Amino acid sequence: MRLTRTAVLAAAALALIARTAVSATASAADLPAPHHDGAWTYRSPAPIGGALALGGFSDLVPADSSGREFWTVTDRGPNADAPSDTDKIFLKPDYTPQILRIRLTRGGGIEVVRRIPLRVPHGRTDPVTGTRFLTGLPPAALTAERPVDLAGRVLPNDPYGLDSEGLVRLPDGSFWISSEYGSSLLHFSAAGVLDTVLVPAGSTYSAPGVRVLPVLPAVEAKQKNNKGLEGLTVSADGRTLYAAQQTQLSNPDSKAAKKSLVQRVFRIDVSRTPRLTGEFTFAREADSATDGGWATSAIDWLGPDRLLVEERDALRPTVHTRLFEVDFRSATDLHGTRWDDPATVPALELDPSAVVPGSKRLVFDAASAGLANGKIEGVALLPAQRGAVELFLVGDNDFGVDSVKDGAVVPNNAVSRVDRYTLPAGTLSLSRR
């Protein structure tokens, strides 16, 4: 009997779950109860033009050990879905993504204490802004997504543009940012100046004055539009990046992506010239509620090849946001194998049982913890007393934009908010070595 692709995929998914040493399906009732310590809200966001205001916080990195100051990054700017699946409406096409240092105030507010707008290399000019400030408009070489304005007019592409999502800060003060465009990683100086972009092998991407390195495997280019690399973290010594896909690869096609449980994580040595040193998988939870729409927007480093990995919905407040400790130390390293070849058939996404994924352990369930925030895109950890761990969560409010209807913006009334929980001792093993 010849099995259909759907049947093969379903059987392989079941095999993957069976092979994964995982308590991912454990009930949240089995977890030590976290304590909600408070919430902080960005109450008076700075205007960025017209009725639009600063927002879109897409990651969270401790700026020090106080638990009061953090770095975050805004995404590409206020945007909305267009009637065509290949188009995206940009409400402020000249918006420059920014790295922000924020402070959680004693009155429950969020204060922006420093803004670092991202810029193109010295001696260069961004073709959209006519200045050194770059935009969130897509580079044509990295995505098929077409930018349009409110009237549906096609906007220019920006070779320096990025859809900024994940953020890390290195010991020298410089930053790495993950971008969903084509799956890419960008390095910026402490002053926000772009110098290096990591792209998939075979990419035709280039930008004047920028060092472009084809570090990622070619298969990573098979991401859906706006679903590239999002989660980003770095080891305690600042030498090793880990980058996670937002969703599964469309490999060999988008139908496979909806049903696949395979999600990839890349390990990259950035201590000298960046190079890929590892590529692993983990098994996502089976998502029947949103037809494969759950996403991984945040990861955090726990120790060598151990990560805190998020799986979330996009609802406000969230119904499904879970954090897992994922251990890749015994997982199959895909780097340099046939699974990196886009022409490989069958694809790993159709035969996930061919490799050993990282083992998973549920450590936090937002719904059972009563989290009133949603679309969580940033997670930060700090050690607390007697083995406890402080967990900070930030939601992306999409600059307050829900959609566009009849040429007008429909607001979502969401705010930028940070929540803090204390995870009791024994919940999470957090290494600082």
Side-chain angles (χ1 to χ4, degrees):
M1 179 178 67
R2 184 177 181 180
L3 296 177
T4 65
R5 174 176 288 180
T6 301
V8 170
L9 183 59
L14 290 174
L16 178 63
I17 293 173
R19 293 187 61 198
T20 306
V22 58
S23 58
T25 56
S27 168
D30 299 329
L31 295 172
H35 183 266
H36 188 234
D37 303 316
W40 292 261
T41 302
Y42 189 24
R43 295 176 181 144
S44 301
I48 60 173
L52 299 170
L54 186 63
F57 297 176
S58 294
D59 208 345
L60 204 61
V61 176
D64 52 33
S65 61
S66 69
R68 290 289 177 180
E69 295 205 5
F70 297 84
W71 295 99
T72 186
V73 64
T74 72
D75 61 28
R76 57 183 168 174
N79 64 82
D81 291 337
S84 171
D85 289 340
T86 60
D87 291 353
K88 182 68 70 172
I89 299 171
F90 285 77
L91 302 173
K92 185 172 174 50
D94 63 348
Y95 176 78
T96 296
Q98 303 172 56
I99 297 169
L100 307 175
R101 183 163 177 156
I102 62 173
R103 178 180 297 140
L104 309 184
T105 70
R106 296 190 183 280
I110 294 175
E111 178 185 2
V112 176
V113 295
R114 187 179 177 191
R115 295 167 66 160
I116 305 176
L118 302 180
R119 294 182 291 163
V120 303
H122 293 282
R124 305 291 177 172
T125 299
D126 185 274
V128 176
T129 65
T131 70
R132 287 191 59 207
F133 296 116
L134 53 77
T135 74
L137 295 173
L142 289 180
T143 178
E145 191 173 54
R146 188 176 69 165
V148 298
D149 64 13
L150 262 176
R153 294 181 294 251
V154 177
L155 295 167
N157 291 103
D158 188 343
Y160 299 104
L162 76 161
D163 185 1
S164 38
E165 295 292 350
L167 176 74
V168 299
R169 188 169 186 262
L170 300 188
D172 66 1
S174 67
F175 300 91
W176 281 96
I177 293 177
S178 60
S179 173
E180 292 190 299
Y181 289 144
S183 284
S184 52
L185 298 167
L186 301 92
H187 184 253
F188 292 86
S189 72
V193 178
L194 176 64
D195 58 61
T196 302
V197 180
L198 311 185
V199 298
S203 172
T204 61
Y205 172 82
S206 66
V210 174
R211 180 177 64 160
V212 179
L213 302 176
V215 167
L216 300 171
V219 73
E220 185 58 18
K222 301 195 75 170
Q223 280 284 6
K224 294 170 61 179
N225 286 340
N226 194 223
K227 302 295 182 184
L229 293 178
E230 184 153 350
L232 188 65
T233 191
V234 68
S235 58
D237 60 9
R239 298 171 63 91
T240 306
L241 292 182
Y242 292 85
Q245 298 168 339
Q246 181 183 358
T247 61
Q248 312 91 309
L249 287 176
S250 293
N251 187 31
D253 52 36
S254 59
K255 291 182 180 179
K258 284 188 176 182
K259 300 301 180 184
S260 173
L261 299 180
V262 177
Q263 201 147 334
R264 303 189 188 210
V265 172
F266 302 99
R267 184 182 65 202
I268 302 165
D269 182 350
V270 293
S271 60
R272 294 184 177 86
T273 300
R275 62 188 181 91
L276 186 68
T277 62
E279 178 185 353
F280 311 103
T281 66
F282 66 92
R284 292 165 55 97
E285 291 186 89
D287 171 16
S288 59
T290 59
D291 193 22
W294 291 347
T296 293
S297 290
I299 60 176
D300 210 346
W301 192 80
L302 301 176
D305 291 345
R306 290 192 307 114
L307 302 177
L308 186 71
V309 177
E310 175 208 44
E311 295 181 29
R312 67 155 178 87
D313 58 25
L315 301 177
R316 300 184 180 97
T318 182
V319 173
H320 177 97
T321 294
R322 286 184 157 193
L323 302 178
F324 299 89
E325 180 179 357
V326 184
D327 189 337
F328 296 103
R329 288 175 293 184
S330 297
T332 303
D333 186 351
L334 308 182
H335 177 38
T337 69
R338 63 191 179 112
W339 305 116
D340 276 348
D341 181 358
T344 296
V345 178
L348 177 60
E349 283 66 28
L350 292 176
D351 185 18
S353 62
V355 304
V356 177
S359 61
K360 291 174 66 178
R361 184 174 67 87
L362 179 65
V363 298
F364 180 79
D365 180 87
S368 65
L371 180 67
N373 206 345
K375 201 179 181 187
I376 302 301
E377 294 206 357
V379 173
L381 300 170
L382 285 172
Q385 294 181 345
R386 294 183 290 276
V389 174
E390 289 184 341
L391 168 67
F392 298 84
L393 307 165
V394 66
D396 176 6
N397 79 328
D398 291 324
F399 293 85
V401 176
D402 180 71
S403 60
V404 168
K405 184 177 181 181
D406 299 327
V409 172
V410 178
N412 62 19
N413 299 317
V415 296
S416 297
R417 166 175 162 160
V418 173
D419 284 81
R420 185 181 73 197
Y421 286 85
T422 296
L423 305 182
T427 304
L428 194 62
S429 175
L430 179 60
S431 170
R432 286 304 177 204
R433 292 184 299 115

